[in-house]
Amino acid sequence: QVQLVESGGGLVQAGGSLRLSCAASGRIFAFNMAWYRQTPGNQRELVAFITGSGSTDYADSVKGRFTISRDNVKNTLYLQMNSLKPEDTGVYSCNRPYNNFMWGQGTQVTVSS
């Protein structure tokens, strides 16, 4: 069974950057994958999506600032986050859309103003 471990979060000032990683214990090359974020009291929101072939899409709120990528050899998903805003604050998790694997712990991103 695939396990997912997110890392790379932290505290950053508005305008700063972070690079998140999602390491998968098994091969995920055939699957669409996505990054999500969630804040207390809010629904988990899909912010970036990538197909097995590398096509990407983004939520309007992050388009132009975030870049999702994957390394299928390393079974790792990445999210490069630039020009961060306080509204980007939340717990970021990775998973397969719709047919989820077990959720990892996520990684906290806090953007201060």
Side-chain angles (χ1 to χ4, degrees), residues 3-25:
Q3 294 179 313
L4 303 168
V5 180
E6 299 92 347
S7 62
L11 176 64
V12 65
Q13 290 184 298
S17 297
L18 288 171
R19 191 191 194 208
L20 308 184
S21 297
C22 168
S25 64

Side-chain angles (χ1 to χ4, degrees), residues 16-66:
S17 297
L18 288 171
R19 191 191 194 208
L20 308 184
S21 297
C22 168
S25 64
R27 288 182 286 110
I28 60 170
F29 70 90
F31 301 123
N32 298 335
M33 294 293 292
W35 283 97
Y36 301 81
R37 71 181 171 205
Q38 187 172 26
T39 56
N42 294 317
Q43 302 166 108
R44 182 181 283 117
E45 173 190 23
L46 192 153
V47 298
F49 170 85
I50 187 167
T51 69
S53 61
S55 297
T56 61
D57 201 7
Y58 302 89
D60 288 343
S61 62
V62 308
K63 191 181 294 289
R65 300 187 297 116
F66 291 9

